[in-house]
Amino acid sequence: MSRLIVVSNRVPDPQAGRTRAGGLAVALEQALKLRGGIWLGWSGEAVDDPSIEPKITEVGAVAYARLDLTPEEVQEYYNGFSNRVLWPLMHTRLDLTEFARNELAAYLAVNRRFAQAIAALLRDDDLVWIHDYHMIPLAAELRRLGVKNRIGYFHHIPWPAPDILTALPRHDDLVKALLEYDLVGLQTEADADNLFAYLTREYGLRSNGRGVVGWDDRSCRVAHFPIGIETEPFAKRARRAGRASFVREITESLMGRKMIIGVDRLDYSKGVPERMAAFEKLIELDPDLVNKVTYLQITPRSRSEVPEYAQIERAVSETAGRVNGRFGEANWTPIRYVNRAYGRTALAGLYRAADVGLVTPFRDGMNLVAKEYVAAQNPDNPGVLVLSRFAGAAAELEGAVLVNPYDCEGMARSIAKALNMPLEERLARWRINWERLVDNSIDVWAETFLVALEDSQLSFAGRLLGFMKSSDQRFGHSHRR
Ligand code: ADQ
């Protein structure tokens, strides 16, 4: 079995306590332990004169290789191009996309530095798996250094429609760099369709029917691999958490009221203020709910140095304050809004204690909270997932009550429906969702991606025969605009 090299913007610190490690980190570590290998990325530290070589910590068969960045790189590569250009663009928020050429230069430079660090550690047969939008040009940089290994990329966030992507100056460079991967994984079929639509429109490239596009002597397979969660272990955690004093205290404090839960990083893509407004509308439409339902919104701050995140923080606090001021009573706070992170077990227990899981992003690659909420439910008396149709998870979780986050009243009515849903319907909907989660847990996801990546060079000869391209449609020579 080939060794595995995982690359992501951040690498977990193997020496830090890991009670908060999410399913993705656990699954990647599992794959690394199985194959042996290296996890390389940013240490999270900013220093004036970072070493070119990563700090390496070995734990069993896995080496954690952590690179520092300069403060300017953090500002321009991370806060700038990654989080003020690619993040809003990929979430179809052109109004928030702030393109600056110096930030693009820093983004490319950091990718080049990562590529040099990886190339120095690489063996011929290693599989390389790169994660997320911070690292799109990494394969191109590695190829420039002569690396011939199989390199796969997984895009955790949505891939936008071609019209949106082409609003990015130098979008073609970004996509050309993407095509240097052997395998590009997206969350949903719709995301993959958006990328194919771009490739066809801009370059005249088409899939050979198996998701492979090619040009000159290279080829790239594009496919969707919906990410999952650690389904059974998370369900077990939730069962155990029901007995924990922390969760019991919270359920007792509800005094028999129903609970709605929302759990999100504080991010404008998650639609938190609009969700609170829908909760306000719900009480407005049904005043009988006064003092009968509590909405707990758990939202740790993220990316606080990016101005749009300070704005969303204000908007969420203001909306929660308005709703609580308007409907609250001395003995009832309609919205409990907390800005902190919880450990996995506490979170699992809170999901289980909630009658409704409210997940209403405007756009989301997948949304793992939706899946965690389902996994945490009591199979004999499950709560109801109310889910935005624009979350990647909506393509799989057919048992959810789907909502349009742009429609405040529609969301309010759907929450009411979820709160009043009879047990039989709750059971039927939950079972549909649970089965999807069992079939596609995160370890299955990781293995499926890696097997596809391993296969990607084996079928190379076959691909060359299958390409649907003509000489005037060749990538790089046939810009139609
Ligand atoms: P995120 O945008 O971060 O991920 P999501 O998929 O919901 O969104 O994952 C968030 C994770 O953080 C969940 O595991 C959740 O439990 C955890 N979390 C959130 N709030 C927390 C809190 N207060 N305390 C503790 N943990 C908390 C990106 C993409 C998603 C995609 C994932 C994975 O934006 O669309 O699903 O990557 O590919």
Side-chain angles (χ1 to χ4, degrees):
M1 201 184 268
S2 302
R3 217 169 56 136
L4 176 62
I5 313 298
V6 170
V7 186
S8 58
N9 174 54
R10 289 294 280 273
V11 188
D13 179 353
Q15 275 140 3
R18 305 301 304 284
T19 55
R20 297 227 160 91
L24 175 61
V26 172
L28 292 177
E29 270 172 346
Q30 244 170 37
L32 280 162
K33 278 181 199 153
L34 186 71
R35 292 162 189 262
I38 303 171
W39 189 342
L40 183 140
W42 177 32
S43 62
E45 302 288 322
V47 299
D48 285 333
D49 190 16
S51 161
I52 299 185
E53 285 172 16
K55 283 175 275 187
I56 297 189
T57 314
E58 289 186 28
V59 183
V62 184
Y64 295 83
R66 307 169 85 231
L67 284 162
D68 298 334
L69 298 179
T70 66
E72 295 73 37
E73 283 170 340
V74 175
Q75 196 48 35
E76 294 175 3
Y77 144 80
Y78 181 68
N79 290 326
F81 196 75
S82 297
N83 286 332
R84 290 194 82 191
V85 179
L86 292 181
W87 176 272
L89 177 91
M90 299 277 179
H91 286 84
T92 310
R93 287 297 302 266
L94 287 180
D95 55 324
L96 300 180
T97 303
E98 295 272 341
F99 182 79
R101 263 159 225 274
N102 62 323
E103 292 178 346
L104 173 61
Y107 176 77
L108 295 171
V110 168
N111 271 273
R112 198 165 306 131
R113 197 139 72 71
F114 272 46
Q116 282 157 354
I118 298 162
L121 298 167
L122 216 51
R123 296 183 196 151
D124 284 352
D125 192 36
D126 287 344
L127 278 182
V128 185
W129 189 4
I130 318 268
H131 288 262
D132 233 356
Y133 58 102
H134 317 84
M135 298 283 148
I136 293 173
L138 199 45
E141 295 295 341
L142 285 166
R143 301 286 181 226
R144 208 162 286 148
L145 297 172
V147 168
K148 301 225 162 23
N149 296 53
R150 284 157 294 178
I151 313 179
Y153 170 78
F154 187 75
H155 190 72
H156 288 260
I157 64 176
W159 193 273
D163 269 348
I164 301 292
L165 189 61
T166 48
L168 175 72
R170 303 188 54 183
H171 53 89
D172 53 337
D173 288 348
L174 193 81
V175 179
K176 273 180 203 161
L178 188 72
L179 292 179
E180 292 290 339
Y181 288 94
D182 296 291
L183 176 64
V184 170
L186 300 154
Q187 297 274 24
T188 65
E189 199 172 358
D191 291 327
D193 286 348
N194 279 341
L195 178 52
F196 282 125
Y198 175 99
L199 294 173
T200 304
R201 198 172 97 172
E202 295 295 309
Y203 306 131
L205 285 175
R206 281 176 210 286
S207 155
N208 69 346
R210 282 168 290 135
V212 178
V213 287
W215 68 101
D216 296 341
D217 61 344
R218 283 210 50 78
S219 69
C220 169
R221 181 176 166 221
V222 176
H224 67 287
F225 299 85
I227 194 168
I229 59 161
E230 69 285 28
T231 308
E232 314 259 4
F234 199 79
K236 199 164 144 201
R237 231 182 235 281
R239 266 198 309 278
R240 269 192 284 124
R243 294 191 289 274
S245 56
F246 165 76
V247 176
R248 276 223 308 272
E249 249 175 58
I250 291 177
T251 19
E252 278 162 21
S253 75
L254 293 172
M255 313 274 288
R257 295 181 194 101
K258 292 205 167 182
M259 178 160 85
I260 298 172
I261 195 168
V263 175
D264 310 76
R265 271 185 315 98
L266 193 41
D267 193 295
Y268 49 78
S269 66
K270 305 289 182 184
V272 179
E274 295 75 8
R275 188 188 307 168
M276 288 178 168
F279 178 74
E280 179 179 26
K281 186 63 138 183
L282 168 76
I283 301 175
E284 208 177 282
L285 291 174
D286 184 358
D288 283 351
L289 286 174
V290 165
N291 215 338
K292 301 267 175 39
V293 57
T294 295
Y295 166 20
L296 172 62
Q297 176 64 50
I298 302 177
T299 305
R301 293 191 176 90
S302 75
R303 304 177 191 168
S304 310
E305 298 92 72
V306 177
E308 290 75 22
Y309 286 76
Q311 279 161 27
I312 187 73
E313 194 175 334
R314 257 198 314 280
V316 176
S317 309
E318 280 170 17
T319 315
R322 184 187 72 222
V323 178
N324 285 339
R326 180 169 171 204
F327 292 114
E329 299 189 1
N331 64 351
W332 176 54
T333 309
I335 302 181
R336 295 186 192 178
Y337 168 51
V338 285
N339 276 142
R340 50 162 297 186
Y342 286 97
R344 303 286 292 160
T345 306
L347 208 55
L350 292 173
Y351 286 136
R352 193 178 179 95
D355 300 277
V356 174
L358 204 45
V359 181
T360 59
F362 289 119
R363 288 266 151 199
D364 219 325
M366 178 54 60
N367 196 296
L368 296 181
V369 168
K371 294 189 167 183
E372 290 165 358
Y373 176 76
V374 169
Q377 294 310 298
N378 176 353
D380 298 324
N381 185 21
V384 181
L385 175 65
V386 174
L387 177 64
S388 162
R389 56 180 298 157
F390 302 116
E396 287 176 276
L397 302 180
E398 286 163 5
V401 173
L402 289 190
V403 293
N404 173 1
Y406 297 93
D407 173 9
C408 180
E409 189 170 332
M411 272 201 283
R413 292 188 185 281
S414 295
I415 301 168
K417 172 177 165 176
L419 283 169
N420 296 318
M421 193 176 283
L423 178 63
E424 208 174 318
E425 185 177 351
R426 282 190 278 131
L427 284 170
R429 285 176 177 270
W430 177 79
R431 281 190 199 121
I432 295 170
N433 291 340
W434 170 256
E435 274 161 27
R436 301 306 296 262
L437 296 190
V438 171
D439 290 347
N440 184 31
S441 60
I442 189 145
D443 42 338
V444 171
W445 167 81
E447 213 33 51
T448 311
F449 185 92
L450 288 171
V451 167
L453 180 58
E454 263 167 341
D455 283 352
S456 61
Q457 273 185 349
L458 298 177
S459 50
F460 185 70
R463 285 179 201 169
L464 286 176
L465 296 173
F467 292 150
M468 294 176 68
K469 63 169 190 173
S470 60
S471 55
D472 66 336
Q473 288 178 324
R474 290 181 135 200
F475 174 68
H477 307 290
S478 67
H479 265 213
R480 293 204 321 206
R481 67 203 75 217

